[in-house]
Amino acid sequence: MNTQKRIEILTRLRANNPHPTTELEFNSSFELLIAVLLSAQATDVGVNKATRKLYAVANTPQAMLDLGLEGVRHHIKTIGLFNAKAENIIKTCAILVQQYGGQVPENREALEALPGVGRKTANVVLNTAFGWPTIAVDTHIFRVANRTKFAPGKTVRAVEDRLEKVIPAEFKVDAHHWFILHGRYTCIARKPRCGSCLIEDLCEFKEKTSD
């Protein structure tokens, strides 16, 4: 795919959704961090349902520690892998309180050192909470980047690096939100909805559908 086509794709996605953001509900960088940590192998809808109740009783690292492991488990038990996630939340909150004064650090290395936080989670927090031009490649972005041929790659990191290279600076802050939403609602896994896709004529996927 050439540069001109990529820019046209991004321009159309921006025109369709000028101010995209995550579908996770949050009111602080801490709430976002916990929501993203919970979202692994879970839907945003499911995470939001749990965090509405959780944040009503604990929406700071210290409050989460005061709630305790069993309390956190109780509030997130509807989410997959809730036992491991509850332990990571408590460990992460302890680090935030002890090392960062209860604040979420605006630093990749510091974020990735938190229990349960990998590169993708760090990228989401840096982008959505702090406005960094990072691209968090999840299953949706990986699929869209490869299927459209926008930024093909065999691994998540390869796709991230390629996207970083080919997306112009003016689009970078919003790009991963556009691609996630496109993959979630249009370029879906089983059968893409090519017939209702606003970039169908630019996409280089060979097995397009009429839906």
Side-chain angles (χ1 to χ4, degrees), residues 18-181:
H19 305 290
T21 189
T22 179
E23 292 188 317
L24 292 169
E25 296 172 0
F26 70 98
N27 290 300
S28 67
S29 56
F30 173 70
E31 287 187 3
L32 176 65
L33 173 64
I34 298 304
V36 180
L37 196 155
L38 290 172
S39 70
Q41 298 180 36
T43 66
D44 287 1
V45 172
V47 171
N48 290 337
K49 192 174 180 181
T51 56
R52 280 175 208 142
K53 295 179 180 179
L54 175 63
Y55 295 157
V57 295
N59 66 349
T60 67
Q62 187 59 58
M64 206 73 77
L65 290 174
D66 293 342
L67 184 61
L69 180 59
E70 289 306 315
V72 173
R73 273 188 185 139
H74 172 73
H75 282 89
I76 66 169
K77 62 186 177 183
T78 55
I79 296 175
L81 308 175
F82 74 93
N83 280 316
K85 290 177 180 178
E87 291 184 10
N88 284 333
I89 286 171
I90 290 296
K91 290 175 184 175
T92 285
C93 288
I95 292 171
L96 293 178
V97 168
Q98 292 163 11
Q99 297 184 25
Y100 302 105
Q103 301 299 309
V104 175
E106 188 180 344
N107 177 284
R108 177 184 297 284
E109 288 185 5
L111 287 170
E112 290 187 26
L114 298 171
V117 177
R119 184 177 179 84
K120 184 181 77 172
T121 299
N123 276 338
V124 173
V125 173
L126 290 170
N127 175 277
T128 306
F130 299 115
W132 285 32
T134 54
I135 298 170
V137 178
D138 68 350
T139 55
H140 298 300
I141 293 184
F142 186 80
R143 178 174 65 256
V144 171
N146 277 288
R147 186 183 271 165
T148 62
K149 303 296 189 290
F150 189 101
K154 292 185 178 179
T155 66
V156 166
R157 185 60 190 272
V159 168
E160 180 187 333
D161 290 344
R162 184 74 178 143
L163 287 168
E164 288 274 3
K165 186 176 181 180
V166 302
I167 294 175
E170 66 173 296
F171 299 104
K172 231 167 221 174
V173 171
D174 295 325
H176 96 257
H177 295 299
W178 290 324
F179 282 123
I180 286 173
L181 294 171

